[in-house]
Amino acid sequence: MLETLPLPGETAADPLAAQLLEVARGDRDAFERLYRLASPRLFAICIRVLSDRAEAEDVLQDVFATIWHKADQFDPGRAGAMAWMSMIARNRAIDRLRSPGHAVRRTAVELGDELPDSGASPVDEAEASDERERLQHCLQKLDDRRRGLIRTAFFEGATYEELASRSGAPLGSVKSWIRRGLLQLRACLET
């Protein structure tokens, strides 16, 4: 099996982008390679949001169906391939979580190491580890309330209203705490 060569403007540094662009052209072999490279991380996102392996597997199947149908919308100039696919996975998992009849588990989800990605190089793993450490460091700088609200909103897909109800705080306060927490996170990560 021949590897796909990068097109002009592409870099060999992002093999997922190259595969995704081939998928946009209808290449089924590229889709299979993309699945093998990206599915561990995308599954980790699904299981973190849903906390149920069977549902995460179902959502992962939906995610890859969406990737197949929308690959032509991927723009490597706007986002990395993994970021683009991760957003699809997160959104699909949150959609499932919010769907009628879904029994929502309200367990806390802690940040943890991602499932190993067999396609990642040691350099990629080192960079990802540094990024995780920076994020963890910046999260620790937030007060407990903001940190908990941001984690619950991101990993469980909880709305502002749900967060206000759970915390017993006014809706405006919850929105304000999350907004200020995200601003603090961004400032910390940019330094």
Side-chain angles (χ1 to χ4, degrees):
M1 203 179 290
L2 294 175
E3 282 299 313
T4 306
L5 295 176
L7 298 172
E10 290 181 36
T11 63
D14 190 358
L16 292 175
Q19 297 304 315
L20 198 48
L21 292 171
E22 288 298 315
V23 169
R25 294 180 189 99
D27 185 334
R28 292 180 183 273
D29 291 332
F31 185 67
E32 184 180 333
R33 289 189 296 272
L34 183 69
Y35 180 86
R36 278 186 280 137
L37 291 170
S39 62
R41 279 194 179 155
L42 299 180
F43 180 69
I45 291 167
C46 293
I47 203 158
R48 280 189 183 143
V49 172
L50 296 166
S51 300
D52 180 82
R53 184 174 189 86
E55 281 199 89
E57 289 170 352
D58 285 346
V59 169
L60 184 65
Q61 183 175 353
D62 292 341
V63 167
F64 275 97
T66 301
I67 290 169
W68 175 256
H69 293 291
K70 294 189 176 189
D72 60 335
Q73 295 176 12
F74 169 66
D75 180 0
R78 293 184 66 207
M82 184 52 77
W84 186 79
M85 292 185 296
S86 294
M87 189 55 63
I88 291 172
R90 182 177 177 275
N91 290 343
R92 287 283 186 244
I94 290 172
D95 289 347
R96 174 67 63 94
L97 195 64
R98 292 181 178 168
S99 66
H102 181 268
V104 180
R105 288 187 186 178
R106 299 295 183 194
T107 57
V109 177
E110 296 298 323
L111 288 175
D113 293 333
E114 292 185 25
L115 293 175
D117 181 3
S118 59
S121 71
V123 172
D124 291 338
E125 287 295 326
E127 288 175 357
S129 176
D130 288 345
E131 289 174 10
R132 280 191 301 271
E133 286 178 23
R134 285 186 58 224
L135 178 59
Q136 195 65 281
H137 171 75
C138 290
L139 278 169
Q140 290 304 319
K141 287 186 171 187
L142 298 177
D143 65 56
D144 291 340
R145 177 179 48 213
R146 288 182 184 162
R147 182 174 49 247
L149 288 170
I150 289 171
R151 282 183 170 168
T152 305
F154 185 81
F155 290 118
E156 292 184 28
T159 65
Y160 288 124
E161 291 81 9
E162 291 170 335
L163 293 170
S165 174
R166 286 192 211 177
S167 66
L171 179 61
S173 296
V174 168
K175 288 181 178 180
S176 186
W177 293 332
I178 291 175
R179 186 177 148 280
R180 288 185 188 133
L182 291 173
L183 289 172
Q184 283 179 291
L185 263 181
R186 183 172 62 185
C188 179
L189 290 169
E190 289 176 351
T191 58

